[in-house]
Amino acid sequence: MRWHPALIALHWLTLLLIALQFVLARLMGDETRDLVGRFELYQLHKSIGLTVAVFVLLRLALRLALPAPPPTRPEPWQRLAAGAVQGGLYLCLAALPLTGMLMVSAAPIQIPTLYFGWFAVPHLIGPDKATYEMMLSLHERVFDLLIVLGLIHLGAVLFHRLVWGDGLLRRMWFRG
């Protein structure tokens, strides 16, 4: 049994957007870029972050509504470990857009968030330097945790594929 195609698509799209966010974050930190270029990078980063938030909410709703394939490994510790990593990934994917929006909202210099240039997203709170600094730190730390959990997730997938050969990866792909 495979995951539902909508969940598969959201899984891979989310991964693609997170990889793009990593690249954008590195480019945003380049102080040699002109202000207009950096502004556009920040706007794109914020727009993609909000899109990730929508994808996460949609994925959670679909996970509640659609049946999951049965576990490939019946051992309780393996199901617990997989659930902990997946839960951690979901928490990180929810926390990143939230801490990002709180950081932007609390920033000492108020710059609007223009969702792909279509409309302005209202700030959640007013300017507050302490909150801004705390959210900036949290945003960076949650991203670091997301990378660690993502690597654990990837390692487990590779182990299933290369050692156990139990077809786990095929369940999260469109064909195979």
Side-chain angles (χ1 to χ4, degrees):
M1 180 178 176
R2 295 182 193 281
W3 287 98
H4 190 277
L7 284 165
I8 294 171
L10 286 169
H11 175 272
W12 293 108
L13 283 171
T14 301
L15 175 62
L16 179 66
L17 291 179
I18 292 299
L20 182 56
Q21 288 292 72
F22 176 78
V23 172
L24 288 172
R26 297 301 167 258
L27 293 173
M28 288 166 23
D30 181 1
E31 304 257 338
T32 63
R33 290 188 179 277
D34 64 278
L35 285 178
V36 173
R38 288 182 75 199
F39 175 82
E40 290 172 358
L41 289 172
Y42 273 90
Q43 291 299 327
L44 183 58
H45 184 81
K46 293 188 287 183
S47 295
I48 291 172
L50 290 169
T51 304
V52 168
V54 170
F55 282 6
V56 168
L57 293 173
L58 187 55
R59 283 178 71 181
L60 288 171
L62 288 171
R63 281 292 309 258
L64 293 173
L66 299 170
T72 57
R73 310 306 276 173
E75 293 82 0
W77 74 267
Q78 290 172 330
R79 288 197 316 272
L80 181 65
V85 170
Q86 289 172 358
L89 287 167
Y90 273 108
L91 282 173
C92 288
L93 290 172
L96 281 167
L98 181 60
T99 57
M101 277 307 295
L102 287 169
M103 176 178 49
V104 166
S105 298
I109 300 173
Q110 293 289 289
I111 299 172
T113 296
L114 306 173
Y115 186 75
F116 293 111
W118 299 334
F119 59 88
V121 177
H123 287 164
L124 303 174
I125 58 175
D128 182 71
K129 188 173 187 216
T131 301
Y132 168 78
E133 289 172 356
M134 181 174 59
M135 289 301 118
L136 174 61
S137 177
L138 247 143
H139 194 67
E140 292 170 346
R141 291 194 188 337
V142 170
F143 183 76
D144 292 343
L145 180 58
L146 177 73
I147 295 300
V148 169
L149 291 171
L151 290 172
I152 293 169
H153 183 65
L154 176 62
V157 168
L158 291 173
F159 198 84
H160 274 270
R161 172 83 175 129
L162 300 173
V163 176
W164 288 329
D166 58 12
L168 178 96
L169 183 57
R170 285 193 303 270
R171 296 168 14 150
M172 191 45 87
W173 197 245
F174 297 99
R175 301 180 144 203

